[in-house]
Amino acid sequence: MNINSDNITKDIKTLYSLTKKDLKLELRSLSTILITIVFAALIVVLFNIAFPFGVAQKNEIISIIIWVVFLFSSLIVSSGMIELDTKDNSLELILMYGIKSEIYFLSKVLSVFTILSVVQLTIFSLFYVLFQLSFQNPVIILVAILTNIGISSITVILGILSVRNNLNQNILSILVIPFTLPYLLGAVEVTNQLTESGNINYILNSLYAIVAFDLIFLISGAILIGVYFKLEK
């Protein structure tokens, strides 16, 4: 029993150390987060200029735009975070020291999640300022966190596989769409409902679906990456 608890404690410390390393490297240069925020802001401003839609269409279209912008922002962030370990072969050193590949995967998800949270805050702030978007229920915060977890997991899985196999980033953009479609549909539906009525009863099924997909991609992602690195050896 003590051995199991010691292993869990060690894994948690390793997870914290790897995540801290990634965030320190990112904060030192700020390259990924700045590029992502500029990209997101540019897209939002362009949509504001190009679509002078009426009130009837406004909430529905904005709900779609929010999550499409967030999806493509997540691709930039995940690629940047994964490439941190490929430039100087630090991934090989991490695995050589006996760190579990599952812990490495979870640390990347946590790092991407943290950076994307900042991007999410920026996106929602821009929509509030430019589109006068307001939410009738604070549940939107929970929706944003849950969707962020799932999309971070998916983009990290596909990002690791594409970088390790020297695949073009355009292929990653194509592959990520079918996997994130359930999140996008659920998040758009929830966001639309919360901007219109704020009634949580209409969105419970969508919330349950998002939580289920979070668990599926986190667990299956950790297993898949673990098996992949073992086969790679």
Side-chain angles (χ1 to χ4, degrees), residues 17 38 42 67 81-82 89 133 137 142 169 184 195 198 203 208 210 217:
S17 299
V38 169
L42 183 61
W67 295 110
M81 298 302 290
I82 293 166
N89 294 321
L133 181 68
N137 196 311
L142 175 62
Q169 290 301 310
L184 293 180
T195 52
I203 63 170
Y208 294 148
I210 292 172
F217 283 114

Side-chain angles (χ1 to χ4, degrees), residues 13-226:
K13 287 181 178 178
T14 304
L15 177 64
Y16 172 76
S17 299
L18 289 175
T19 306
K20 184 179 177 182
K21 171 193 70 82
D22 285 342
L23 294 178
K24 270 188 173 181
L25 288 173
E26 174 54 34
L27 290 173
R28 192 176 298 168
S29 64
L30 291 176
S31 57
T32 301
I33 192 169
L34 285 178
I35 290 171
T36 309
I37 288 176
V38 169
F39 165 79
L42 183 61
I43 297 298
V44 173
V45 170
L46 287 175
F47 270 114
N48 183 47
I49 296 171
F51 291 97
F53 34 79
V55 176
Q57 300 171 292
K58 179 178 159 183
N59 289 339
E60 185 176 350
I61 296 177
I62 286 178
S63 300
I64 296 171
I65 296 172
I66 285 175
W67 295 110
V68 169
V69 172
F70 178 70
L71 172 62
F72 286 102
S73 299
S74 69
L75 293 175
I76 299 173
V77 174
S78 62
S79 298
M81 298 302 290
I82 293 166
E83 284 176 2
L84 288 175
D85 293 335
T86 58
K87 291 178 180 178
D88 53 2
N89 294 321
S90 58
L91 175 56
E92 280 70 19
L93 293 173
I94 288 172
L95 298 177
M96 192 183 299
Y97 277 106
I99 293 173
K100 298 175 183 175
S101 51
E102 293 86 355
I103 298 299
Y104 171 78
F105 165 74
L106 292 175
S107 73
K108 284 298 175 187
V109 172
L110 189 54
S111 300
V112 172
F113 170 83
T114 304
I115 300 298
L116 281 180
S117 297
V118 177
V119 176
Q120 268 185 332
L121 183 61
T122 304
I123 291 172
F124 279 106
S125 301
L126 286 169
F127 273 96
Y128 177 77
V129 172
L130 296 176
F131 295 92
Q132 289 77 52
L133 181 68
S134 62
F135 298 101
Q136 307 298 324
N137 196 311
V139 174
I140 189 65
I141 298 173
L142 175 62
V143 176
I145 291 172
L146 291 174
T147 306
N148 190 351
I149 292 171
I151 291 182
S152 297
S153 302
I154 294 169
T155 53
V156 168
I157 294 169
L158 297 176
I160 290 174
L161 295 177
S162 62
V163 168
R164 297 296 289 180
N165 290 283
N166 296 317
L167 296 179
N168 193 292
Q169 290 301 310
N170 293 328
I171 297 177
L172 174 60
S173 303
I174 295 170
L175 288 174
V176 81
I177 293 174
F179 288 101
T180 55
L181 198 57
Y183 283 104
L184 293 180
L185 293 175
V188 167
E189 176 63 25
V190 171
T191 306
N192 192 33
Q193 288 291 340
L194 291 178
T195 52
E196 288 183 350
S197 64
N199 193 335
I200 193 173
N201 294 323
Y202 295 115
I203 63 170
L204 285 177
N205 289 335
S206 296
L207 277 177
Y208 294 148
I210 292 172
V211 171
F213 279 114
D214 281 349
L215 293 173
I216 289 170
F217 283 114
L218 272 174
I219 295 170
S220 62
I223 295 171
L224 176 64
I225 296 302

